[in-house]
Amino acid sequence: MGQVIEARAPDLKIRPEDCLGVKHSDPSTIVIVGATGDLTARKLVPALFNLYLNDGLPDPFRIVGCGRTKLSDQEFRNKMKEALLVNGAMDASKWPAFAAALNYRSVDYGDLTSFMSLAEFLRKLDQIHNTRGNRIFYLAIPPSLYKPLAQMLGQAGLGKERKNGNGWSRLVVEKPFGRDLKTAIDLNQGVQEYFREHQIFRIDHYLAKETVQNILMFRFANAIFEPIWNRRYIDYVNITASETLGVEHRAGYYEQAGVIRDMFQNHIMQLLALTAMEAPSQFETDRVRDEKVKVFHSLRPFPVEKLHKYIVLGQYGQGKIDDKPVPGYREEPGVSPDSLTPTFARMKVFIDNWRWQGVPFFLTSGKRLAKKLTEIEIQFKGIPHSMFRQTLGETIAANRLTLGIHPDEKITFTFQTKNPGARVCLRSVTMDFSYHQNYTGPILDAYEKVLIDCMLGDQMLFWKQDGVEQCWSFLTPILNECETCGNRAEMLHFYESGSWGPQMIDIS
Ligand code: BG6
């Protein structure tokens, strides 16, 4: 039962294509370190090619792939062409001009002279192509290499910036940013020996999702929600990111990480911050990021001795996804047969500040669950007094607002209304707004958005060092307790693949 809210075309002078933000940034070279890997083929080159097709790359631009494998420029171009064909992103008529801007350099990750010669090569490219010394170094490599490679780039002088606006240098890293507080601090310090905070772009691809960005617009561009967005009206908040996928071919990483490091330390924490933060005085990078950090600062530390009251951990066993049998986590290739790595977690967290005192936030994420679903549910409190009690003799469901991120990019509000008829009966109905309704312009994929922001030097959608460390200081004691306590095995509840996770444990 739903009623669709018509999204009217905005009465603004802005055309949809102007909202894309695909505008020319400074001429620059994008250096992908780890260019023969999976991320480059699956995400980065398709995103760059698509930006090229939409006139979204700098003019001029160069893309330099670097890796340990020895390849010629032509071999690298062929490899990237294959990747685009697999990806379905190929436009054969535009490929030759794009391919001409690709180069490849093999580098020895442990040898400074190799990086010095990369630096020399980049200088030459600048001279030939007038890319003005502006460079993005995208680290598409395993996290254990972030620090040594950032330092190598730095020692080769590639972290230095000129003062006249051009000649900038930016470093892009993907999560995980460390595996606990200590390693995150160590990584930050190591990278910051050569790159300053304004040069470091720590990616969280959830922040590049349109509907995640929309949370702030929804909250702060509408007057009616803020007055009720607090402990007086909100009973609890559910933040869910469930997946049907299993660990796939990533056991080597996942066995060491587990769901808390993989999903909570980054994506879930960002969703929490966007839901709970105060309004910044300006929609400006540091002010937005500072407000989020204040939320992380206000997280109430878990009483580790009573962890079972606040957290449920699970691991998937065999089951069915889309009616097909799937193996349990312990049977996945590369996973230890007695692994205690959690693939599911549900946490109850509290934010100790004036707005949220006493409101539980339930955070849930897991692999091999019944459905791929990402959403934020704001459950409002029930009415204080029911004048219908005599007539209806039933409880009246409280209002609920759902911010859908995946699969439905929508906002849904559930409320009570009268059923047509002579008797007084209530029914729950929903108002739905679908995010793409009445929008026909182009849509940017998350990696395209992230790359554009790096080229423009806009860090709004990237993690700042203090936020990373603050989240780790909240999660590290929990991880320590979960990973080292004697009853580690008892804390882990097995669930059937295709179910909603361990349901019998109640932390409400
Ligand atoms: C990644 C995690 O960061 O996010 C993966 O490492 C997870 O394990 C993925 O599958 C989920 O992203 P999305 O966009 O599919 O929800």
Side-chain angles (χ1 to χ4, degrees):
M1 202 174 298
Q3 182 183 329
V4 171
I5 311 282
E6 270 301 308
R8 273 200 307 127
D11 306 324
L12 303 173
K13 288 169 196 70
I14 300 175
R15 298 165 307 150
E17 50 275 33
D18 294 334
C19 299
L20 263 192
V22 180
K23 60 182 180 193
H24 290 291
S25 56
D26 298 337
S28 44
T29 303
I30 299 143
V31 183
I32 304 175
V33 186
T36 53
D38 199 42
L39 181 68
T40 308
R42 274 193 317 117
K43 299 282 186 193
L44 299 181
V45 168
L48 287 165
F49 186 57
N50 213 20
L51 284 176
Y52 176 73
L53 297 181
N54 284 306
D55 200 19
L57 287 183
D59 183 18
F61 77 94
R62 302 297 301 174
I63 297 171
V64 177
C66 295
R68 285 181 281 212
T69 316
K70 291 207 179 339
L71 291 180
S72 66
D73 284 346
Q74 195 49 47
E75 283 167 327
F76 179 59
R77 288 171 189 156
N78 294 345
K79 228 171 142 37
M80 294 305 111
K81 187 175 180 186
E82 271 165 40
L84 288 176
L85 286 168
V86 170
N87 196 281
M90 177 50 98
D91 175 341
S93 65
K94 299 281 169 46
W95 168 252
F98 179 77
L102 301 185
N103 292 95
Y104 184 83
R105 294 288 294 179
S106 72
V107 280
D108 176 345
Y109 290 170
D111 177 15
L112 182 57
T113 52
S114 182
F115 283 84
M116 304 288 267
S117 86
L118 171 68
E120 186 51 35
F121 177 73
L122 293 176
R123 269 192 291 277
K124 282 202 185 115
L125 276 190
D126 283 336
Q127 283 160 11
I128 301 168
H129 299 284
N130 198 20
T131 33
R132 302 195 200 158
N134 297 321
R135 289 154 199 164
I136 293 173
F137 295 96
Y138 199 117
L139 300 188
I141 47 176
S144 57
L145 293 175
Y146 290 168
K147 182 175 156 191
L149 284 199
Q151 296 201 319
M152 278 290 182
L153 291 168
Q155 284 163 22
L158 290 166
K160 288 201 190 110
E161 297 194 293
R162 288 204 300 266
K163 294 227 162 59
N164 63 0
N166 273 305
W168 48 253
S169 168
R170 295 175 189 149
L171 185 77
V172 185
V173 284
E174 298 233 12
K175 65 157 229 345
F177 317 116
R179 50 175 288 106
D180 53 20
L181 180 59
K182 189 165 163 288
T183 50
I185 292 176
D186 180 62
L187 174 64
N188 278 327
Q189 285 174 347
V191 171
Q192 285 175 343
E193 274 179 49
Y194 298 97
F195 293 86
R196 302 197 16 231
E197 187 59 26
H198 76 270
Q199 298 177 271
I200 306 170
F201 289 69
R202 299 179 191 83
I203 292 185
D204 187 318
H205 79 277
Y206 266 52
L207 287 180
K209 291 179 191 254
E210 284 285 352
T211 31
V212 171
Q213 291 170 45
N214 187 45
I215 299 170
L216 286 194
M217 314 298 154
F218 177 77
R219 287 189 55 199
F220 301 130
N222 295 293
I224 63 166
F225 300 108
E226 260 324 276
I228 54 170
W229 208 263
N230 56 49
R231 68 183 196 290
R232 274 197 298 277
Y233 295 94
I234 295 180
D235 199 9
Y236 61 88
V237 176
N238 269 332
I239 299 183
T240 306
S242 63
E243 298 185 78
T244 51
L245 285 180
V247 68
E248 298 181 289
H249 54 277
R250 298 162 71 218
Y253 150 75
Y254 201 86
E255 274 283 85
Q256 301 303 315
V259 68
I260 296 181
R261 292 189 179 86
D262 187 47
M263 291 294 291
F264 282 72
Q265 195 278 335
N266 31 71
H267 311 322
I268 301 272
M269 282 295 158
Q270 283 292 346
L271 296 180
L272 174 68
L274 289 165
T275 310
M277 68 191 259
E278 298 299 319
S281 55
Q282 298 281 331
F283 191 56
E284 186 262 314
T285 301
D286 276 341
R287 294 191 207 201
V288 171
R289 299 203 298 178
D290 287 348
E291 286 304 335
K292 288 188 193 169
V293 177
K294 287 187 201 161
V295 174
F296 303 142
H297 267 288
S298 312
L299 285 168
R300 186 186 302 170
F302 276 11
V304 282
E305 65 293 349
K306 291 194 221 141
L307 217 51
H308 60 282
K309 295 199 167 165
Y310 293 87
I311 183 165
V312 181
L313 297 176
Q315 188 188 83
Y316 65 83
Q318 297 174 351
K320 282 191 174 170
I321 297 282
D322 294 334
D323 277 338
K324 293 200 189 83
V326 291
Y329 178 70
R330 290 178 173 186
E331 294 143 1
E332 300 273 19
V335 172
S336 153
D338 49 8
S339 168
L340 293 176
T341 303
T343 59
F344 171 97
R346 179 166 161 83
M347 287 183 194
K348 177 167 70 172
V349 306
F350 288 94
I351 297 171
D352 276 339
N353 64 18
W354 193 280
R355 184 192 284 262
W356 293 116
Q357 194 54 237
V359 179
F361 285 73
F362 295 100
L363 315 178
T364 307
S365 182
K367 293 203 177 283
R368 285 281 193 236
L369 295 179
K371 192 173 170 195
K372 167 91 180 146
L373 180 77
T374 314
E375 68 176 25
I376 300 168
E377 260 178 13
I378 313 290
Q379 179 64 55
F380 290 95
K381 290 186 173 169
I383 49 170
H385 163 71
S386 172
M387 62 178 196
F388 302 110
R389 194 174 295 134
Q390 310 289 333
T391 338
L392 296 170
E394 58 186 70
T395 46
I396 297 177
N399 300 127
R400 175 180 293 182
L401 183 78
T402 306
L403 307 177
I405 294 161
H406 187 93
D408 300 320
E409 301 193 308
K410 65 177 192 179
I411 298 173
T412 305
F413 183 62
T414 309
F415 61 101
Q416 303 301 309
T417 184
K418 181 183 174 305
N419 232 359
R423 276 191 60 212
V424 177
C425 298
L426 287 181
R427 59 176 172 159
S428 280
V429 290
T430 59
M431 284 196 291
D432 296 332
F433 161 67
S434 164
Y435 189 66
H436 293 290
Q437 204 175 312
N438 277 8
Y439 178 80
T440 49
I443 292 166
L444 289 178
D445 132 278
Y447 272 88
E448 290 167 34
K449 172 80 181 121
V450 157
L451 286 163
I452 288 185
D453 285 353
C454 292
M455 293 185 280
L456 295 172
D458 179 354
Q459 290 181 306
M460 172 94 76
L461 301 183
F462 296 81
W463 278 88
K464 208 174 153 197
Q465 175 201 351
D466 51 358
V468 171
E469 291 178 7
Q470 204 51 51
C471 282
W472 277 126
S473 51
F474 173 68
L475 290 172
T476 301
I478 304 172
L479 283 163
N480 286 345
E481 185 62 21
C482 295
E483 289 174 353
T484 55
C485 68
N487 63 351
R488 197 176 164 198
E490 285 148 48
M491 282 187 72
L492 195 67
H493 305 278
F494 293 92
Y495 59 96
E496 197 183 332
S497 285
S499 70
W500 277 111
Q503 290 300 300
M504 59 293 181
I505 321 292
D506 184 17
I507 52 170
S508 56

